[in-house]
Amino acid sequence: MAKRVFIPLCTGFEEMEAIILIDVLRRGNVEVVSGGKSKEPILASRKTLHLADKIFSEINPAEFDAILLPGGLEGTKHLMADPEISKILNSFQSEKKLIGAICAAPSALRNLDIISGNDPYTAFPSSEDLTKGKGGKYTGKRIESHNHVHTSVGPGSAFEFALYLLEILEGKEIMEKVKAGLQLP
């Protein structure tokens, strides 16, 4: 049975991060469901409009294997302020299901203490200000993993992060096949 991944899209999300995650995972036969606050088009960080597959209130975390958060400063602020997303993230955390976040989005995980104490994580360097005084140990690596939580630095790492997550979800063989089809260096 195909793995299912939920990707929430909030106003101001970083297009490249969200779309590359969705595209690469779907190429690897992962069922990706994007979500939005409403059925209205979502204005992303570079002023492109996007339609989500479902609205947040329709998402049942039990039906998904992973949640992946695209970054974008404004999008991350909206993620952090949304009680439905907090509830969904806390459900994934309590079940120890795969949680991924890129760019500014690891701040949402730090805000909920999903990343806490000395847990290693990475993020876009300037996103630290969103969660001053919160835990976690910033490493600055392109991809950082700790237990079931995986983080990455930003738009330029989106392909490698998506392939990394695809390998976790579907295995090395499928990841390599998708990677070859992308003609990456």
Side-chain angles (χ1 to χ4, degrees), residues 11-54:
T11 301
F13 75 90
E14 168 52 60
E15 292 92 328
M16 285 197 310
E17 294 161 358
I19 302 307
I20 289 169
L21 285 168
I22 291 167
D23 180 285
V24 169
L25 293 174
R26 285 182 178 171
R27 286 173 190 253
N29 298 315
V30 173
E31 184 185 342
V32 180
V33 176
S34 64
K37 186 84 181 146
S38 71
K39 286 287 186 187
E40 296 300 311
I42 303 155
L43 187 64
S45 64
R46 302 295 174 259
K47 309 305 179 216
T48 60
L49 287 172
H50 301 265
L51 295 175
D53 299 315
K54 292 187 176 266

Side-chain angles (χ1 to χ4, degrees), residues 53-96:
D53 299 315
K54 292 187 176 266
I55 58 174
F56 296 156
S57 61
E58 296 173 329
I59 298 300
N60 176 357
E63 296 174 358
F64 291 88
D65 301 291
I67 184 170
L68 305 177
L69 308 179
L73 192 58
E74 185 187 355
T76 297
K77 288 177 181 176
H78 287 287
L79 279 172
M80 290 169 62
D82 193 295
E84 288 173 305
I85 294 301
S86 295
K87 185 177 163 192
I88 292 168
L89 280 166
N90 284 326
S91 172
F92 274 85
Q93 174 66 0
S94 67
E95 297 287 322
K96 302 291 184 232

Side-chain angles (χ1 to χ4, degrees), residues 131-177:
T131 44
K132 280 228 184 293
K134 287 291 189 173
K137 185 176 185 333
Y138 179 77
T139 67
K141 292 181 182 176
R142 290 184 66 75
I143 296 173
E144 184 67 70
S145 291
H146 180 68
N147 299 326
H148 62 286
V149 179
H150 310 276
T151 53
S152 190
V153 292
S157 67
F159 274 110
E160 60 196 284
F161 191 48
L163 289 165
Y164 177 83
L165 295 168
L166 179 60
E167 184 172 353
I168 291 171
L169 292 164
E170 293 294 334
K172 188 168 181 67
E173 186 179 324
I174 288 177
M175 182 279 289
E176 291 290 354
K177 184 177 172 187

